[in-house]
């Protein structure tokens, strides 16, 4: 059997459907309450980390020439996820506001779990979908992002992050020594304005004004407003509150991931506002098996930035001689990122080793660490 045929098999794709396991846990927590409400919050990160410890790393690289038609079973889960997440979020809003057997604490724990799912699965799937040229997939990405009130992420990610990663223009390239609790408010402040400016410049190049109907911010606003109205219709102001809470948790999960992906890694400034091209060593890579199932190979992040249009089943992993490696999968690394002193103790030596390996000619890193190198042209 050829590598392409192996990729195409349903049995090869099924592990990436691990996210479906959250659905029955949401039902159990909502119906039975009590300690059962914790299961949804713990499921993805805990199960994948445990399996990572048992299964180790998967360093096999699939055939990058595999046709899209042979990736049907992989693509299907990302395309089905919007209706699943829609029912999960809004069904849960209707349920918790219409029943009285759950305490307020139990309801918030449940919606923490919903946010964990919509962040670690929904936004990750939206990320995969937004990178595709297919109009349906891009629309599904927009719908998923609207359910977490983070629609501008598509613009910021495609027009800013992928273009300017590793430079001071990219807000989500975490700076060396910057703790997550500093990073998060900075990103929340800078990214919406950055996305707006990116769309404004793109429209200007077409001779159009910023309020032209082709500006996707119109769509972003309408979809997010519709989600809020639906939450209110189903559960009143309590429904809106639970909806916003799960959206915040989802965004928290996303930005924890963003923080980990490029922490301390910068592209070399070549002078006059020019930077070297993006290469695999500008992203942290990890090939842990189960967390890559949950996150549909997002942890093969070095290859994603090197080949952004490559679909997730075909992403390649790199050795330690080709790209910097995280010691654990994203679930454990994002948990560590919540403890800045432990994070720096574990990661700063790795960043320093990375600098010595790839840029021995650079002796003064102050401007890179502070994000004060010249803005890219």
């Amino acid at each position: 059997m050829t590598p392409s045929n192996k990729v195409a098999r349903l049995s090869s794709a099924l592990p990436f459907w691990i996210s479906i396991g959250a659905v029955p846990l949401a039902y159990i927590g909502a119906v039975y309450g009590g300690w059962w409400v914790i299961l949804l919050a713990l499921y993805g990160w805990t199960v994948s980390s445990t399996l990572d410890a048992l299964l180790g790393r998967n360093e096999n690289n699939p055939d990058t020439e595999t046709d899209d038609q042979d990736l049907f079973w992989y693509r299907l889960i990302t395309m089905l996820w919007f209706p699943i997440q829609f029912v999960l979020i809004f069904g849960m809003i209707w349920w918790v506001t219409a029943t009285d057997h759950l305490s307020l604490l139990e309801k918030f724990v449940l919606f923490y779990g919903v946010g964990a799912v919509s962040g670690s699965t929904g936004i990750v799937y939206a990320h995969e979908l937004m990178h595709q040229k297919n109009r349906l997939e891009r629309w599904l990405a927009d719908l998923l992002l609207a359910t977490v009130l983070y629609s501008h992420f598509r613009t910021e990610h495609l027009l800013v992050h992928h273009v300017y990663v590793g430079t001071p223009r990219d807000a989500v390239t975490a700076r060396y020594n910057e703790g997550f609790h500093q990073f998060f408010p900075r990103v929340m402040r800078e990214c919406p304005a950055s996305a707006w400016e990116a769309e404004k410049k793109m429209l200007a190049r077409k001779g159009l004004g910023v309020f032209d109907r082709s500006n996707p911010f119109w769509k972003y606003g309408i979809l997010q407003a519709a989600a809020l109205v639906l939450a209110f219709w189903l559960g009143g102001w309590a429904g809106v509150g639970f909806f916003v809470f799960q959206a915040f948790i989802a965004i928290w999960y996303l930005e924890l991931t963003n923080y980990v992906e490029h922490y301390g890694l910068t592209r070399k400034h070549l002078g006059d506002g020019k930077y070297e091209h993006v290469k695999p060593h500008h992203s942290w890579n990890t090939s842990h098996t189960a967390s890559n199932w949950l996150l549909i190979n997002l942890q093969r992040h070095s290859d994603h930035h090197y080949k952004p249009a490559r679909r997730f089943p075909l992403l390649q992993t790199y050795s330690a001689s080709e790209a910097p490696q995280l010691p654990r999968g994203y679930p454990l690394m994002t948990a560590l990122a919540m403890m800045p002193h432990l994070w720096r103790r574990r990661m700063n030596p790795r960043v320093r080793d990375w600098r010595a390996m790839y840029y021995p000619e650079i002796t003064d890193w102050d401007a890179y660490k502070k994000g004060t190198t010249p803005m890219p042209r």
Side-chain angles (χ1 to χ4, degrees):
M1 182 176 289
T2 66
S4 178
N5 287 335
K6 288 180 181 178
V7 169
R9 290 171 54 189
L10 171 60
S11 59
S12 298
L14 277 179
F16 291 97
W17 289 60
I18 189 175
S19 53
I20 291 292
V23 176
L25 296 182
Y27 175 83
I28 291 170
V31 171
Y32 295 103
W35 289 103
W36 295 107
V37 299
I38 299 175
L39 292 179
L40 184 60
L42 295 179
Y43 172 66
W45 267 190
T46 304
V47 169
S48 63
S49 295
T50 302
L51 289 175
D52 274 347
L54 296 173
L55 301 175
R57 299 172 185 266
N58 173 15
E59 297 180 342
N60 296 323
N61 283 326
D63 179 6
T64 58
E65 300 303 316
T66 305
D67 292 333
D68 269 11
Q69 63 184 10
D70 293 328
L71 302 177
F72 172 79
W73 294 109
Y74 295 89
R75 296 175 59 196
L76 185 61
I77 182 58
T78 63
M79 297 179 73
L80 289 177
W81 192 256
F82 170 70
I84 293 172
Q85 182 161 302
F86 183 89
V87 172
L88 177 64
I89 294 173
F90 293 104
M92 194 70 78
I93 288 173
W94 170 78
W95 177 259
V96 302
T97 56
T99 59
D100 57 8
H101 72 289
L102 297 170
S103 69
L104 184 61
L105 176 60
E106 288 170 332
K107 293 176 182 179
F108 271 104
V109 172
L110 264 178
F111 273 93
Y112 178 94
V114 171
V117 173
S118 56
S120 60
T121 299
I123 297 182
V124 171
Y125 288 9
H127 168 260
E128 170 71 12
L129 293 164
M130 73 173 68
H131 274 284
Q132 310 312 318
K133 296 179 181 179
N134 181 297
R135 177 178 254 180
L136 172 61
E137 289 177 292
R138 292 175 75 97
W139 253 104
L140 288 170
D142 286 334
L143 290 169
L144 281 168
L145 292 175
T147 64
V148 294
L149 302 177
Y150 219 53
S151 295
H152 71 274
F153 174 63
R154 175 164 73 88
T155 291
E156 176 69 8
H157 186 77
L158 297 178
L159 300 187
V160 181
H161 177 60
H162 269 273
V163 179
Y164 299 110
V165 64
T167 76
R169 175 70 177 83
D170 178 42
V172 297
T173 296
R175 300 163 188 164
Y176 182 79
N177 264 340
E178 182 180 30
F180 176 73
H181 302 289
Q182 298 167 301
F183 170 85
F184 184 70
R186 181 174 66 78
V187 166
M188 295 295 286
R189 182 178 67 252
E190 293 179 10
C191 282
S194 174
W196 176 264
E197 284 300 313
E199 292 292 355
K200 181 180 177 180
K201 290 178 180 178
M202 178 170 282
L203 289 166
R205 287 195 292 270
K206 299 176 182 178
L208 301 173
V210 71
F211 294 109
D212 187 85
R213 66 180 182 178
S214 63
N215 187 335
F217 272 80
W218 288 111
K219 177 166 63 174
Y220 300 164
I222 290 170
L223 290 176
Q224 291 180 163
L228 287 166
V229 168
L230 180 57
F232 180 79
W233 181 68
L234 290 170
W237 288 114
V240 173
F242 288 128
F243 178 76
V244 171
F245 176 68
Q246 69 81 31
F248 175 80
I249 298 302
I251 294 166
W252 185 271
Y253 270 72
L254 167 67
E255 297 304 349
L256 268 170
T257 302
N258 278 335
Y259 176 80
V260 167
E261 287 171 342
H262 302 281
Y263 174 79
L265 306 183
T266 51
R267 284 153 63 188
K268 183 179 179 180
H269 180 233
L270 303 177
D272 197 26
K274 295 181 182 178
Y275 287 81
E276 63 176 318
H277 291 299
V278 178
K279 298 175 183 176
H281 67 260
H282 292 123
S283 305
W284 291 101
N285 185 74
T286 183
S287 54
H288 287 82
T289 301
S291 46
N292 266 321
W293 290 341
L294 178 68
L295 300 170
I296 56 171
N297 281 340
L298 183 66
Q299 299 175 142
R300 295 186 168 201
H301 210 62
S302 296
D303 198 49
H304 171 64
H305 270 272
Y306 191 51
K307 298 288 183 181
R310 183 171 286 166
R311 289 190 181 273
F312 82 85
L314 307 183
L315 288 171
Q316 309 290 287
T317 193
Y318 292 86
S319 67
S321 64
E322 300 168 300
Q325 305 292 312
L326 291 173
R328 297 288 185 269
Y330 282 5
L332 289 180
M333 295 309 296
T334 53
L336 189 65
M338 294 289 292
M339 298 173 279
H341 294 295
L342 296 180
W343 170 264
R344 294 187 185 106
R345 184 183 304 173
R346 193 68 186 267
M347 290 302 297
N348 282 7
R350 291 174 180 269
V351 175
R352 292 193 293 268
D353 289 344
W354 172 86
R355 292 173 181 169
M357 179 176 182
Y358 291 102
Y359 303 102
E361 72 279 9
I362 299 178
T363 57
D364 185 359
W365 285 93
D366 281 351
Y368 289 95
K369 289 190 291 186
K370 297 175 182 176
T372 56
T373 53
M375 283 289 175
R377 294 198 306 172

